[in-house]
Each structure stands twice: as C-alpha cells, then as structure tokens.
Amino acid sequence: MSEQMNQENGFGSSLALLDALGIGPVWVRRELAVEEVQEQAQQPASATPIAAPVEAVGAVEQPSRAPVEPAREPTPVAERPAVQAPPAGAPKAPAAPVPRSAPVQEEGGPPAWLDEMDFAASLEPVLIPEGEDDEPMPAVDPVIARIKQMDWPQLKEQVADCRRCGLCQGRKKTVFGVGDEKAKWLFIGEGPGRNEDIQGEPFVGPAGKLLDNMLVSMGVKRGDNAYIANIVKCRPTDENGRDRPPSPQEVASCLPYLQRQIELIQPTVLVALGKTAAISLLGLDPTTPVARLRGTVHRYQELPLVVTYHPAYLLRSLQDKSKTWADLCLAMSTYQAQAR
Ligand code: URA
C-alpha cells in the first residue's frame, strides 16, 4: 500500500506508525505472511479462519500480565470461573455501521497479505448453552444484575466506589476507561499500571503513547471513534509494589463492568491488546499464546474481536511490532466488512 493510497484510504499515518514502531525500514508484508504461516503451523489447532469467524464465548477467563506475554505461567484451569453462554441483554452487532473516520481496506477485498496466509487451524468454541446440562443454574449475583441495567453515569459511580475485590485497597484511582462512548473501535488492555493508577486514565505511560500512534494510523484517536478500556479497573501489584497480572478472581469481579461498557458502546470491532484481554473476553484457556490467537477474527458475543500484542510488550519486542501492524490491518478490513 503506497503512502498516497494510505492517505486516500484513511490509513494516513501507516508509515508514521511503522516508524513509531521502529519497523519502517524492515516492513515487508510478504515475509510477514510467510512468518505467520510458519507460526500458525507450529501451533495446535485453535482458531477459525477469518473467512468463517467463530462464535467464541463472552465469558470470564484469566489473564497474564501483558509485557511478558510469551512466557507467562498459566493459572490452573480449575480456578477459572465457569464459562457460560453469553448473558442475556448482550450487545447487538450493529447492522452495517457507517464508519466515522473511514479506515478502509485496499479495493476489491481484504489486503493482499491476508490472501497469502493459510490458516489451517480452526477453533471449536467452548460454548456451554444455558440449561443444557442438568446442573441448576447458579444464582445470579444481584450486583451483576444491577450492573447490566446501568447507564453511563451509574456505571461510572459504581466503579468509582467498587469494593468487589481486594484491588480496591491499594488503588489511588479507579481507571474506568476513556474515549468516545459511541466509538466504533474498542481497544481493551489488561489493567492500570502505576501512571494510570495515579491519573485515573488508561494507557497514559509509554505504552499509551505507542497505542495512540497505533490508533492514529487507523484513522482514529482517543476520544474520536475510539474507546480504551481495561479488563480490570484497579491496578494489580505484587508484594513489592510491582505490576502483576490480575488474578482470575479479580478478573471475574471486574469483567461485568467492561461487559456493560461494551453493551453501552456497541462497538463495531474490538481489539484485544495482549493475552489477558484476549483470554478474558474469549473465555479461553490461559495457556493459549497470543501468537495462536492472532490472524483470526474471533467473536465476543456477536462482535468481531481481533487479538494483537500488548503495547507494553511491543516496546521491548521489535520482532513482534510488524505483526501488530498486520493485526491492525486485519482489524481494519474487518471493520470495513462490517460497514458494508
Ligand atoms: N497496560 C494496560 O493494559 N492498561 C493500561 O491502562 C496501561 C498499561
């Protein structure tokens, strides 16, 4: 894609993004496609090709802290909260939404590099239809039931006062989320770090700068057709005060807020930034590597969800920055397909 085309298509700053990512000089699409195919071939079956997006579950799973994505110790599956069918009142996929900032794909279909990929693996969704087994359904948490009915002001107030898990004890500020509440793009990270905890806004540190550059390359920005949120609203720290991944219980406590945010926003495409966001939203096994989730359009309930690396991880991993650009291209082509 030439820079001129990029500008015409609304990807105006794609080269700027590549530069921001530090990969401008080394970006070669065809090589990337080959690399992706090799990576996919080494992984066990996991994901449905983009031509046939899967129904993954909108459910609770547990995470790992994004910056160490590839080598995170898994939490035992038994500790995970039960995965259920998407809750009633789930967000409806918007019918042919009209993009406001018009990131578009190359004419005549998906970008050429997508055609070069051969995604052999497919993911069978682990969907447990409600009432299909003989177990009685667990009682609905009354707080979650109320959260499902909340409007924006109520939800913000509820989060600000939240005591649903132990993270409230160490927080300075809750980090609700920021952006256009009618955004078509929703970017979801893991949880606040030190800077975010102080400022009460997601992605305000160095990783946030990179994320902002990524957004600009897609024709959107914070507050303009993009919303940024996290899986958990309070900063998880270890006993030494360092950032850590949220525990499964913390994710389970907090996820209803994000689920309600998604219902209220009704985005066209979700972008999961890193493993915690991906496995939490898709209800996947925490041992699933991000590498296996990339290159596929998943589903959070009816909404398309694309997985990419966490910006904090990318700051340290030059070799994966080019892959993120490929993921964003996939997200943009998915967006365009929805808008048709
Ligand atoms: N990392 C995240 O996942 N979210 C933030 O808000 C900041 C850093």
Side-chain angles (χ1 to χ4, degrees):
M1 193 185 304
S2 71
E3 181 63 13
Q4 187 190 354
M5 274 178 69
N6 287 336
Q7 281 168 0
E8 286 166 1
N9 287 343
F11 297 170
S13 318
S14 59
L15 291 183
L17 171 72
L18 295 178
D19 286 340
L21 292 172
I23 55 165
V26 296
W27 172 252
V28 182
R29 272 194 211 148
R30 188 171 300 274
E31 287 173 6
L32 171 65
V34 171
E35 185 183 1
E36 287 287 347
V37 170
Q38 286 167 346
E39 191 176 311
Q40 292 277 337
Q42 285 162 9
Q43 300 289 347
S46 82
T48 298
I50 53 172
V54 298
E55 279 302 322
V57 276
V60 179
E61 277 295 334
Q62 85 259 22
S64 78
R65 193 67 169 166
V68 286
E69 269 156 34
R72 176 62 56 185
E73 273 300 306
T75 308
V77 172
E79 288 181 23
R80 284 186 284 138
V83 172
Q84 295 293 337
K92 299 278 173 288
V98 179
R100 282 191 260 157
S101 299
V104 291
Q105 65 192 49
E106 291 167 278
E107 241 174 70
W113 58 266
L114 282 178
D115 296 338
E116 295 169 12
M117 291 184 172
D118 177 18
F119 296 108
S122 78
L123 171 69
E124 286 302 322
V126 188
L127 187 62
I128 306 171
E130 283 186 37
E132 191 157 278
D133 59 15
D134 293 334
E135 297 293 318
M137 292 302 293
V140 177
D141 178 334
V143 180
I144 295 179
R146 277 197 289 117
I147 290 170
K148 284 176 188 291
Q149 304 301 321
M150 288 180 179
D151 59 19
W152 281 111
Q154 292 167 331
L155 194 61
K156 287 173 186 171
E157 195 180 329
Q158 181 81 20
V159 167
D161 296 338
C162 183
R163 296 271 181 279
R164 283 174 60 76
C165 78
L167 293 183
C168 64
Q169 289 163 6
R171 76 179 175 220
K172 291 188 172 58
K173 287 187 177 167
T174 54
V175 179
F176 181 78
V178 70
D180 180 352
E181 291 173 357
K182 292 285 171 217
K184 299 300 181 191
W185 287 98
L186 175 56
F187 296 83
I188 301 166
E190 179 178 90
R194 187 172 172 278
N195 295 319
E196 292 77 16
D197 181 51
I198 293 169
Q199 296 186 38
E201 181 170 333
F203 286 98
V204 291
K209 282 204 174 64
L210 176 56
L211 178 59
D212 284 339
N213 286 339
M214 290 159 58
L215 298 191
V216 168
S217 77
M218 301 170 77
V220 297
K221 62 182 178 194
R222 222 176 258 246
D224 182 9
N225 207 18
Y227 194 92
I228 303 171
N230 282 310
I231 294 295
V232 295
K233 311 288 188 212
C234 297
R235 182 190 181 199
T237 54
D238 64 17
E239 60 278 9
N240 300 312
R242 286 189 298 246
D243 291 340
R244 65 161 172 82
S247 71
Q249 292 73 21
E250 289 157 356
V251 171
S253 299
C254 213
L255 203 56
Y257 296 130
L258 178 61
Q259 288 169 332
R260 184 60 187 154
Q261 284 172 298
I262 296 171
E263 288 173 1
L264 290 169
I265 296 169
Q266 299 204 356
T268 301
V269 177
L270 283 71
V271 179
L273 303 166
K275 183 173 180 173
T276 295
I279 63 172
S280 299
L281 290 166
L282 295 174
L284 298 176
D285 188 297
T287 60
T288 313
V290 169
R292 207 166 99 198
L293 300 174
R294 297 182 47 252
T296 295
V297 180
H298 302 268
R299 295 272 159 187
Y300 168 80
Q301 297 176 356
E302 300 100 342
L303 301 173
L305 182 150
V306 172
V307 177
T308 193
Y309 292 107
H310 191 285
Y313 167 76
L314 290 176
L315 288 175
R316 300 199 313 271
S317 307
L318 182 68
Q319 74 280 5
D320 286 331
K321 289 180 179 175
S322 58
K323 295 178 186 172
T324 288
W325 178 238
D327 298 335
L328 299 184
C329 289
L330 173 58
M332 287 186 282
S333 61
T334 302
Y335 182 99
Q336 283 304 305
Q338 293 284 312
R340 270 192 214 118

